[in-house]
Amino acid sequence: MSNEILENLKKAILEYESEKAANLAREALEKKIDPAKALNVMTEAVRQVGDGFGRGELWLPDLVGAADAMQSAMPIIQKEIERKGMKVETLGVVVVGTVFGDIHSIGKTMVCTLLAAEGFTVYDLGVNVTAEKFIEAVKKYKADILAMSALMTMTAPEQRKVIAILKKENLRDKVKVMVGGGSLTEEFAKNIGADGYDPTAPGGAKLARRLLNK
Amino acid sequence: MAMKGFTRKFKPLEIITEEQVEAIHRGILDVLQTTGVRFESKRALKLFEKNDCQVDYDNMRVKFPPGLVEECLRRCPSSFRVKAREPKNDLIIGGNTVYFVASPGMQTVDLDTWEPRPATKKEYYDTVKIMDALPNLHLFCCYTPYFGFEGIPEVMKIPEGLAAKIRNSNKFTWSCFSNDCEIFNIKMVKAVGTETIILAMMASPPLTYYNSAIECAFRTLEADLPIGVDTGTVFGATGPATIAGSLVTYTAELVAGIVLIQLIKPGTRTFIAGFPHPQNMRSGSPAFGDIGISLFDVAFNQICRKYEIPCRNTASAYSSSKKMDFQCGYERGIPAILSAVSGAQFIHVHGGMYGELAHHPIQDILDDDVAGMIGRFIEGVEVSDETLAIDLIEKVGPIPGFYLNKEHTRKWWRKEQFVPEVADRLTYPEWINSGKKTAFDYAKKRMEEILATHKVDPPLTNSQEEDIERILKEAREYYRKKGLITDEEWETYKKVLR
Amino acid sequence: MLKGFTRKFKPLEILTEEHVEAIHRGILDVLQETGVRFESKRALKLFEKNDCQVDWSNNQVRFPPALVEECLRKAPSSFRIKARDPKNDLIIGGNTVYFEPGVGMQTIDIDTWELRTATRKENYDGVTILDALDTVHFLSCYCPYFGFDNVPSVMAMLESVAAKIRNSTKAQWSGYQGREVFVIEMAKAAGIELLGNIICSPPLTYYGDGVENIFRFIEAGFPIDVCGGGTIAGATGPATVAGSLIADGALNVAGIVLVQLIKPGTRVIVQGGAGPQNMRQGSPAFGAIGGSLHNVAYNQIFRHYKIPIMDAGCYAGSSKRIDYQNGYEKAIPAVLAALSGANLIGFHGGMYGELSWHPFQAIIDDDVAGMIGRFIEGIKVNDETLAIDLIEKVGPIPGFYLNKEHTRKWWKKEQFVPKVADRLTYPEWMKTGKKSCLDYAKERMDEIAATHKVAIPLTSSQEKDIERILKEARKYYKEKGLI
């Protein structure tokens, strides 16, 4: 019975069914299924979709569809894990967002999905995120990595500002900063004082592992 | 089911008015009646005379009464099926269906020097195999991929080429004639249970048909095969320098050929080929890649639609550039889309490079993306409640509304988009990481993949293969006896066959 | 007035009349039910005064259909834009097709094909080349480059407009971002009009600075380009072409309504443009045929509205080089735009996306634009071109046309002879060192650089004015802390 629910939860994500995934997550908890197990099948489902994308069989709408389905079930499971005071196995906590002045969300969404598929805990702050919001999230979630996305190089001052505040608040040593986006370069990353850069979403997920030596 | 090809889902582009089409048609009737056409064949002249044409035996000139011309045009079916070796590759020709045909080239090119050189037998067979694998290439033209391969005598080029296409592909193919080779071509296609369209009625502009073309037409019709009429006017040389004037002579030549075909055997499946060009007024060669060809073709398609006879366009077959470069891209891309939106049933796209002189399999692969892209365009825009998506637009609203994660996107994007196989679609940083690969590099890789994995399905049966080999042998003996293969040629040829 | 090219036949139409009607109704429906977000109090007040339903909590405006249709009717179907040299004035509308260059953030290194920032000299030389090319009829906003070396980003547009005023007498358009005050002053100093620009952000949103900007342009009496901002089908618009036509169309129509409410009868050109998303990289799929399906249908809809159309996006493919892919990805959309009723086509010099531009590309594209222009001028059919008497005289083989008076008279009118295309035979080509169009383009660029002079140089007082305005702007931005 419990296996069936978990199987269905996984299937819901593989079939991009957000509402179904959320309902099954609730049902799982009602049936006293271990939330860590539920989390595992969800991560496994997103990883499968990520692998399919990597092989060229699946496409962006599939990737984003799976991420959406996972995110609709995630808060339900996470709340239960926190309530039980369980520890979640994770490669690390990543706070992600598109910087202020930029409303491009596609690259950022891809990175979130792939980071989750790698096994990171991901907090997606959305687009047009101010420096203050980034800092607040880094503190709140005790982030290991701060990932900023931007399509346009014009946003450099804003990204510098984030790094400057991190330094001011003595957070710079506690969190790795990575940047990515269509027209950014290695040089740009160095210039603003980031720890790492990758132009692509799949590359970004791998970069996160390298930054944390995982 | 026959091969689908692409279907144009909107009204064709028209660049001349109905009155202008009428003026050109009247011009054609006028030229056919007052100037007439030269047919160098007693057999044809007699048939014309019997059917109330005015025949001058001294200069072999035939003058046609308009009533007969129009009656013969009506006898041509407006749509018809031709059989391929595999029923799924049968073609139903006519109407709004567009098929892409490979472009012929005399030789291949060396990719380091871009110079032309003869293809080897292996290159010929490999290129056919690649073309068999490309989904947007629907059929072969006679001289595709190459006019022949290294070491074979001139007279064996067409039969050997046809044999290669029968062996390494089960797509439909046209064929040509030269020194009676149609005898062997007909035998070969019958042996494997398929058909070919022979571009038999080939006029020699201005306004002339030689005997070999006419004899070939008689043979084709006796074999109950479909037929193509063909001509190749150069505006300013073998036709008037004006496009309207050349449309008159060119079409008059083709129509005269159609009259003969429909007199020999009424109702014969007929399609109109043709190969028009402006003249390069510097070198005297045809101006390949010139926009005048498209102006001509698009108007010509309008005339053929009036006659309700399927036709082909060649403007996109060739460029004047010697490389696979930007010029080659626009000189062939523009005519290809113009032919597709204006109603040609056959369009030459794949593989052609400079003039009729060069062809390359990598170009075939690049062009498969072009053909797919154009095919997608002519299939048009689907308009329904679901595609209009008004409810979805309402739900998503202004920023930060987003469509990528919607069910509607997952369902529809792949139907709406054409995704190319070898075009470079990377962002700059990705492209640099990839080693700056271009469409050309991806095409090379795809070529290697196809050669390593593609199988012709189904292959020829043993007995079919024996038949092909036997017919080729017959042809070789026939030409040896006629003295058209010299001893020296024969020695080289034997080495190639080994 | 510049003649441009005239399409002499009916435009290509890929939608039925019923489809056009369904899309039009969809646009009206979305404008009334969903509405459009305008982040501008001034605009919202104007809309409210004109019986639109304004939701002040989220800045969303809902439009009554009758108002929308009335505003569409108020826009002129043809209009003039004044250039510095009257012979370069444009009359936009009807069956006339003008070409304008593409734009690029940067130039490319022709040896490595990598991006790098253009120098000031390259930007000015780029404008000189565009001034010299016959098929460049209008200078785009931000062309050739978005900026050049050592120019702070707030000054990029102003410096760009100044370069075009100095090195060309062709008409031009201008973007915004708070810089329009200085831009308008500069245009007035040079005695020209600028096509102003309001850019929206799909889905269904106009940000404040864009809106503020057009108030200023309209007060200056300039015409306006209502720019759709590039809906990406499957990301910022529905994945279907039909759906994106509605989303993109509604956004543009809302902009036209605003313009006509500010000042009825204002000259407007509409710039649609949607393309599919690249579902692997997440970037727009530049050069994809879906962009043309959208454009051609879009042109049909706005021809129905009788509003002039700009298909600005025909300059960008996905290839990073001047190669075969770039050739077909640029040429096919451009010819489709010309066939289907675009009045202005963005084309010359653009390469990948909006990211790169190169003068060689612009020179090669001059041939392509000429070729497309020749096509849309169509075929002359009359007694002389039909040449029945000549055909009778020449007869069958050995009849020949090359030596006839008729050929000498007509061939040049009928043929388009390109300037930098390789038209040699194989033996000639080998003898000349296997030159390609790229080599010929280099030669032509050197020739233009050596010989071309702008027809009417600025007077010294005009030049002083331009320099003064630039100085003022620099000072203003320094004081604002933006430099």
Side-chain angles (χ1 to χ4, degrees):
Chain A
M1 182 67 193
S2 77
N3 272 345
E4 196 183 319
I5 292 173
L6 289 176
E7 273 309 301
N8 285 340
L9 176 59
K10 186 174 168 187
K11 206 171 145 223
I13 294 171
L14 289 174
E15 290 173 357
Y16 323 118
E17 307 248 24
S18 292
E19 217 172 298
K20 211 170 172 183
N23 289 338
L24 283 162
R26 271 183 222 108
E27 197 184 333
L29 299 185
E30 277 163 23
K31 300 268 159 68
K32 310 284 179 216
I33 293 172
D34 180 357
K37 275 187 181 165
L39 187 61
N40 276 345
V41 296
M42 283 157 59
T43 311
E44 171 55 25
V46 172
R47 187 176 294 136
Q48 261 185 39
V49 174
D51 288 348
F53 182 79
R55 285 193 304 271
E57 290 157 9
L58 296 177
W59 300 81
L60 262 184
D62 310 317
L63 199 60
V64 173
D68 259 27
M70 168 137 171
Q71 269 160 18
S72 69
M74 191 62 147
I76 300 161
I77 300 294
Q78 233 160 8
K79 218 169 152 191
E80 181 66 10
I81 289 174
E82 277 166 27
R83 201 182 59 82
K84 288 193 163 176
M86 292 165 72
K87 251 193 94 154
V88 184
E89 250 182 74
T90 173
L91 285 181
V93 175
V94 191
V95 164
V96 189
T98 302
V99 299
F100 185 66
D102 197 332
I103 50 145
H104 294 88
S105 68
I106 299 158
K108 184 255 324 163
T109 309
M110 283 168 70
V111 172
C112 287
T113 308
L114 292 167
L115 283 170
E118 285 281 330
F120 288 95
T121 305
V122 180
Y123 293 94
D124 181 355
L125 307 184
V127 299
N128 210 14
V129 180
T130 59
E132 291 73 21
K133 272 197 188 149
F134 272 122
I135 304 297
E136 197 188 304
V138 166
K139 286 187 200 157
K140 182 173 165 196
Y141 302 118
K142 301 193 173 57
D144 299 301
I145 294 178
L146 170 60
M148 291 186 285
S149 161
L151 188 71
M152 298 170 294
T153 46
M154 268 146 61
T155 56
E158 198 56 35
Q159 306 196 45
R160 264 195 218 106
K161 192 172 157 192
V162 174
I163 292 174
I165 303 179
L166 284 177
K167 279 183 188 154
K168 209 171 92 193
E169 306 220 354
N170 291 324
L171 288 165
R172 186 65 189 89
D173 299 338
K174 299 191 178 85
V175 62
K176 298 283 183 191
V177 178
M178 56 188 255
V179 295
S183 60
L184 307 192
T185 60
E186 192 78 58
E187 202 187 328
F188 175 92
K190 268 189 204 137
N191 203 333
I192 64 162
D195 299 304
Y197 146 85
D198 200 281
T200 69
K206 301 273 177 284
L207 172 67
R209 272 177 172 269
R210 275 204 310 279
L211 288 177
L212 300 183
N213 296 316
K214 304 250 166 138
Chain B
M1 199 176 94
M3 188 173 258
K4 210 177 138 283
F6 294 103
T7 313
R8 182 174 34 74
K9 300 239 169 94
F10 45 82
K11 281 194 196 142
L13 174 73
E14 306 204 319
I15 62 168
I16 51 179
T17 62
E18 246 177 75
E19 295 74 38
Q20 289 172 330
V21 171
E22 187 60 28
I24 291 166
H25 174 59
R26 288 176 60 85
I28 293 162
L29 293 178
D30 195 359
V31 166
L32 286 174
Q33 189 167 32
T34 56
T35 315
V37 177
R38 184 176 158 95
F39 280 84
E40 304 203 337
S41 152
K42 279 240 168 74
R43 202 173 165 190
L45 294 178
K46 273 189 196 152
L47 186 61
F48 284 127
E49 198 174 35
K50 217 182 90 190
N51 283 278
D52 303 325
C53 297
Q54 189 190 318
V55 174
D56 179 340
Y57 280 93
D58 286 343
N59 59 15
M60 302 182 182
R61 191 90 70 101
V62 183
K63 292 179 175 168
F64 300 84
L68 176 72
V69 172
E70 293 198 330
E71 191 195 318
C72 286
L73 287 173
R74 279 193 300 272
R75 283 181 191 169
C76 298
S78 58
S79 293
F80 56 88
R81 177 187 283 259
V82 292
K83 269 178 68 182
R85 195 150 70 72
E86 254 301 279
K88 72 172 173 22
N89 288 336
D90 284 3
L91 307 179
I92 296 178
I93 300 163
N96 299 336
T97 294
V98 173
Y99 290 121
F100 287 104
V101 196
S103 315
M106 218 129 95
Q107 301 185 302
T108 187
V109 286
D110 181 296
L111 291 178
D112 295 320
T113 64
W114 296 105
E115 289 177 22
R117 63 163 177 79
T120 62
K121 180 175 177 181
K122 181 172 185 319
E123 283 169 331
Y124 194 109
Y125 273 79
D126 280 353
T127 307
V128 170
K129 195 174 177 187
I130 288 162
M131 294 162 110
D132 188 62
L134 297 178
N136 302 319
L137 175 65
H138 304 117
L139 71 152
F140 290 96
C141 165
C142 175
Y143 284 111
T144 46
Y146 308 110
F147 280 28
F149 44 85
E150 216 173 13
I152 55 173
E154 193 57 39
V155 285
M156 283 304 292
K157 281 183 175 171
I158 295 175
E160 286 282 2
L162 181 61
K165 278 169 272 191
I166 289 176
R167 284 165 168 157
N168 265 17
S169 171
N170 47 43
K171 287 181 181 171
F172 185 81
T173 179
W174 297 340
S175 57
C176 298
F177 68 93
S178 168
N179 296 298
D180 306 331
C181 77
E182 66 272 14
I183 300 171
F184 308 105
N185 292 347
I186 291 169
K187 280 187 185 174
M188 271 193 267
V189 295
K190 301 251 164 183
V192 295
T194 172
E195 292 186 315
T196 178
I197 299 180
I198 303 183
L199 272 61
M201 276 311 287
M202 192 182 284
S204 303
L207 299 172
T208 304
Y209 278 92
Y210 290 126
N211 188 47
S212 54
I214 298 164
E215 279 309 304
C216 176
F218 276 106
R219 283 196 188 114
T220 305
L221 299 187
E222 274 156 28
D224 204 20
L225 288 173
I227 195 166
V229 291
D230 195 5
T231 187
T233 298
V234 178
F235 326 152
T238 57
T242 47
I243 292 166
S246 268
L247 275 167
V248 172
T249 54
Y250 179 94
T251 315
E253 283 149 15
L254 294 165
V255 168
I258 290 170
V259 172
L260 178 62
I261 289 164
Q262 296 300 331
L263 287 180
I264 300 173
K265 196 170 170 200
T268 294
R269 294 167 291 172
T270 307
F271 104 95
I272 306 182
F275 189 41
H277 280 97
Q279 183 164 39
N280 181 330
M281 293 300 186
R282 191 71 63 200
S283 63
S285 56
F288 297 107
D290 193 278
I291 194 65
I293 311 168
S294 286
L295 280 164
F296 186 97
D297 273 349
V298 172
F300 180 69
N301 293 342
Q302 272 181 261
I303 298 165
C304 292
R305 248 196 322 282
K306 178 186 161 73
Y307 294 163
E308 293 181 42
I309 304 175
C311 69
R312 78 148 176 201
N313 284 173
T314 56
S316 48
Y318 310 114
S319 158
S320 269
S321 173
K322 316 299 174 292
K323 306 186 185 182
M324 296 173 196
D325 65 355
F326 185 83
Q327 182 186 338
C328 186
Y330 78 75
E331 281 190 340
R332 297 179 52 241
I334 290 175
I337 187 78
L338 288 171
S339 291
V341 297
S342 65
Q345 281 80 11
F346 291 110
I347 303 170
H348 287 268
V349 170
H350 291 73
M353 297 182 60
Y354 172 61
E356 288 182 285
L357 301 179
H359 181 107
H360 200 280
I362 288 184
Q363 187 69 59
D364 279 312
I365 293 171
L366 289 168
D367 289 336
D368 205 53
D369 275 350
V370 181
M373 168 174 174
I374 289 172
R376 175 64 194 90
F377 184 84
I378 63 169
E379 304 244 314
V381 179
E382 187 171 331
V383 180
S384 64
D385 284 348
E386 202 183 336
T387 61
L388 288 168
I390 295 178
D391 293 340
L392 176 67
I393 296 171
E394 161 82 322
K395 208 175 95 188
V396 171
I399 288 175
F402 198 53
Y403 290 86
L404 186 61
N405 52 356
K406 300 295 176 290
E407 160 68 20
H408 184 267
T409 301
R410 278 196 298 280
K411 174 169 177 190
W412 280 96
W413 81 270
R414 203 64 186 81
K415 292 178 197 166
E416 295 281 287
Q417 271 199 39
F418 166 71
V419 180
E421 290 283 340
V422 300
D424 161 27
R425 282 284 177 91
L426 301 182
T427 59
Y428 262 115
E430 290 171 305
W431 171 75
I432 290 178
N433 283 351
S434 80
K436 299 185 192 172
K437 281 202 188 115
T438 65
F440 180 85
D441 300 315
Y442 294 116
K444 229 176 184 170
K445 193 169 151 242
R446 190 172 182 209
M447 177 172 85
E448 282 152 18
E449 259 169 41
I450 290 173
L451 287 176
T453 60
H454 183 71
K455 296 260 176 303
V456 180
D457 182 33
L460 287 183
T461 63
N462 284 344
S463 88
Q464 285 173 325
E465 177 51 48
E466 274 163 26
D467 282 340
I468 297 291
E469 200 42 52
R470 177 181 48 73
I471 297 160
L472 286 173
K473 252 187 205 151
E474 251 177 62
R476 288 170 200 140
E477 275 160 28
Y478 176 86
Y479 290 119
R480 283 276 285 158
K481 260 186 213 153
K482 277 195 127 185
L484 291 170
I485 301 177
T486 65
D487 289 343
E488 199 183 327
E489 278 174 334
W490 182 238
E491 286 311 309
T492 326
Y493 188 18
K494 277 197 294 193
K495 272 182 223 153
V496 176
L497 292 177
R498 241 176 264 141
Chain C
M1 192 256 300
L2 264 188
K3 213 180 134 281
F5 298 106
T6 313
R7 183 173 34 76
K8 300 245 169 85
F9 44 81
K10 282 193 196 145
L12 175 68
E13 306 201 320
I14 63 170
L15 301 174
T16 62
E17 253 177 67
E18 293 75 40
H19 290 163
V20 172
E21 186 60 28
I23 290 164
H24 173 59
R25 290 174 59 87
I27 289 172
L28 292 178
D29 194 0
V30 166
L31 285 174
Q32 188 168 29
E33 291 295 317
T34 316
V36 176
R37 194 171 131 200
F38 280 84
E39 305 248 295
S40 154
K41 279 231 168 81
R42 203 172 163 189
L44 292 177
K45 272 187 197 154
L46 185 62
F47 284 129
E48 199 170 52
K49 216 182 90 189
N50 283 277
D51 303 324
C52 297
Q53 190 191 318
V54 174
D55 182 340
W56 290 89
S57 72
N58 59 11
N59 302 334
Q60 223 153 311
V61 183
R62 294 184 167 83
F63 301 83
L67 176 73
V68 172
E69 292 197 330
E70 193 195 320
C71 287
L72 287 172
R73 278 192 301 271
K74 280 182 183 161
S77 58
S78 293
F79 61 85
R80 178 184 290 260
I81 299 183
K82 269 178 69 184
R84 204 151 68 69
D85 184 346
K87 78 170 180 16
N88 286 335
D89 283 3
L90 305 181
I91 295 182
I92 294 178
N95 298 335
T96 294
V97 174
Y98 291 120
F99 284 95
E100 61 183 346
V103 292
M105 296 240 258
Q106 296 182 288
T107 188
I108 47 153
D109 181 301
I110 210 88
D111 295 321
T112 63
W113 299 102
E114 287 181 25
L115 290 170
R116 66 168 177 77
T117 306
T119 63
R120 181 184 165 90
K121 183 173 181 322
E122 282 168 332
N123 188 73
Y124 273 79
D125 286 351
V127 175
T128 301
I129 287 161
L130 293 173
D131 191 58
L133 297 179
D134 287 339
T135 63
V136 172
H137 304 113
F138 188 58
L139 299 175
S140 315
C141 167
Y142 277 124
C143 84
Y145 303 111
F146 273 39
F148 40 89
D149 242 355
N150 298 323
V151 173
S153 75
V154 284
M155 285 298 294
M157 223 209 27
L158 281 170
E159 293 279 2
S160 172
V161 171
K164 280 174 278 193
I165 289 178
R166 283 165 168 157
N167 272 20
S168 173
T169 57
K170 291 179 180 173
Q172 59 170 309
W173 54 299
S174 161
Y176 63 98
Q177 285 180 346
R179 268 79 90 185
E180 69 281 359
V181 186
F182 299 109
V183 163
I184 291 168
E185 263 186 67
M186 241 193 263
K188 297 220 152 149
I192 61 169
E193 292 183 318
L194 281 176
L195 178 63
N197 162 300
I198 178 168
I199 192 162
C200 33
S201 306
L204 298 174
T205 304
Y206 279 87
Y207 283 118
D209 50 354
V211 177
E212 276 309 307
N213 156 68
I214 61 150
F215 275 99
R216 291 206 187 97
F217 271 114
I218 292 172
E219 277 155 22
F222 289 168
I224 300 293
D225 160 43
V226 174
C227 170
T231 295
I232 302 173
T236 57
T240 47
V241 177
S244 266
L245 279 167
I246 291 182
D248 189 39
L251 193 48
N252 278 316
V253 168
I256 293 169
V257 171
L258 176 62
V259 170
Q260 297 304 327
L261 287 180
I262 297 174
K263 193 175 168 197
T266 294
R267 295 164 289 173
V268 171
I269 188 163
V270 70
Q271 179 186 349
Q277 177 167 43
N278 181 336
M279 292 299 188
R280 186 64 61 200
Q281 276 72 32
S283 47
F286 297 107
I289 196 66
S292 286
L293 279 166
H294 181 94
N295 268 356
V296 171
Y298 190 88
N299 295 349
Q300 203 177 333
I301 293 160
F302 278 82
R303 260 191 298 106
H304 172 79
Y305 295 154
K306 297 199 172 66
I307 292 177
I309 306 156
M310 182 194 296
D311 282 356
C314 301
Y315 61 83
S318 275
S319 172
K320 316 299 174 293
R321 307 192 190 198
I322 304 177
D323 66 354
Y324 184 76
Q325 181 188 337
N326 193 21
Y328 73 75
E329 281 188 342
K330 286 186 65 169
I332 290 175
V335 72
L336 287 171
L339 292 178
S340 60
N343 301 102
L344 256 172
I345 299 173
F347 191 59
H348 301 74
M351 296 178 58
Y352 172 62
E354 290 185 306
L355 299 180
S356 51
W357 194 93
H358 200 278
F360 291 167
Q361 181 74 63
I363 290 170
I364 301 171
D365 288 338
D366 184 49
D367 275 348
V368 185
M371 175 172 170
I372 291 171
R374 174 64 194 90
F375 185 86
I376 63 168
E377 302 253 334
I379 297 175
K380 270 207 177 70
V381 181
N382 58 37
D383 285 350
E384 199 184 338
T385 62
L386 284 168
I388 308 285
D389 294 341
L390 175 69
I391 296 168
E392 163 78 54
K393 212 174 90 188
V394 172
I397 290 175
F400 198 51
Y401 290 85
L402 188 60
N403 52 355
K404 300 296 177 289
E405 159 66 21
H406 184 267
T407 300
R408 279 194 298 281
K409 174 170 174 189
W410 279 96
W411 82 268
K412 265 197 174 164
K413 291 179 196 166
E414 295 282 281
Q415 277 195 31
F416 166 73
V417 182
K419 293 199 169 70
V420 299
D422 161 26
R423 280 289 176 91
L424 301 180
T425 59
Y426 265 122
E428 292 169 313
W429 172 76
M430 302 232 251
K431 248 186 271 164
T432 51
K434 299 184 188 172
K435 277 188 196 156
S436 70
C437 61
L438 200 58
D439 302 307
Y440 293 115
K442 269 178 212 170
E443 289 172 14
R444 191 169 179 216
M445 183 173 87
D446 293 342
E447 206 183 292
I448 291 172
T451 60
H452 183 74
K453 295 261 177 298
V454 61
I456 307 175
L458 286 181
T459 63
S460 56
S461 89
Q462 282 174 325
E463 177 52 48
K464 264 184 213 153
D465 283 341
I466 300 288
E467 199 43 53
R468 175 182 50 75
I469 296 162
L470 284 174
K471 255 187 205 150
E472 272 172 35
R474 287 176 201 129
K475 194 171 151 232
Y476 172 83
Y477 290 118
K478 264 206 90 180
E479 277 166 9
K480 272 194 119 183
L482 291 168
I483 298 182

